[in-house]
Amino acid sequence: MPQHLLSLTDGPSILIDKPILLFGRHEECDVQLNSKKVSRLHCVLAQVNDDLVIRDLGSTNGVRVNGERVPEGRLRPGDELQIGNFRYQVCADPLGRKSDPAGVEAYKAVPPVDADDPSDEG
């Protein structure tokens, strides 16, 4: 299931739906962050197996994970990521739910409808 970055400041949350996302002010970045505290090519976020890895690209203001400036770091659900003045929380579920096993089981319990079965007509 894709992870996402839940915005803790102004700005949209970000679905991590590609193996590599480039963050910065430049128009060709995957995630454009319009702030003078964000470099044109600020950082890159990569999915490595089941992990997320953030790497600073030599930006002026750096990248912070849980308040600590890092050149590179591994992100886990619940971690806080700061890029310039934008803050995000790493979430494993794209809908922001911690877990919903009852909802999943309820969905699995509903039998599929067979469009060709005349007994389903009503």
Side-chain angles (χ1 to χ4, degrees), residues 41-114:
L41 302 175
H42 197 97
C43 62
V44 65
L45 180 68
Q47 294 182 36
V48 180
N49 298 323
D50 291 334
D51 294 326
L52 290 177
V53 176
I54 190 83
R55 178 177 291 163
D56 186 14
L57 297 175
S59 66
T60 301
N61 292 309
V63 172
R64 295 182 182 273
V65 176
N66 297 324
E68 182 179 336
R69 188 169 176 165
V70 295
E72 180 175 313
R74 189 172 312 267
L75 299 173
R76 292 178 177 74
D79 282 350
E80 184 177 306
L81 172 65
Q82 184 173 345
I83 302 169
N85 53 332
F86 295 91
R87 291 181 22 243
Y88 300 94
Q89 182 176 24
V90 179
C91 298
D93 185 327
L95 300 178
R97 299 173 300 189
K98 295 293 181 193
S99 65
D100 187 14
V104 171
E105 291 306 315
Y107 176 76
K108 289 180 182 176
V110 176
V113 176
D114 186 344

Side-chain angles (χ1 to χ4, degrees), residues 6-20:
L6 176 67
S7 179
L8 300 176
T9 55
D10 289 337
S13 295
I14 300 163
L15 181 64
I16 303 168
D17 58 352
K18 293 172 55 177
I20 297 174

Side-chain angles (χ1 to χ4, degrees), residues 24-26 32-42 59-62 83-86:
R25 284 194 337 257
H26 194 274
Q32 291 181 13
L33 300 174
N34 189 14
S35 169
K36 291 184 179 185
K37 293 188 176 189
V38 176
S39 297
R40 287 173 17 100
L41 302 175
H42 197 97
S59 66
T60 301
N61 292 309
I83 302 169
N85 53 332
F86 295 91

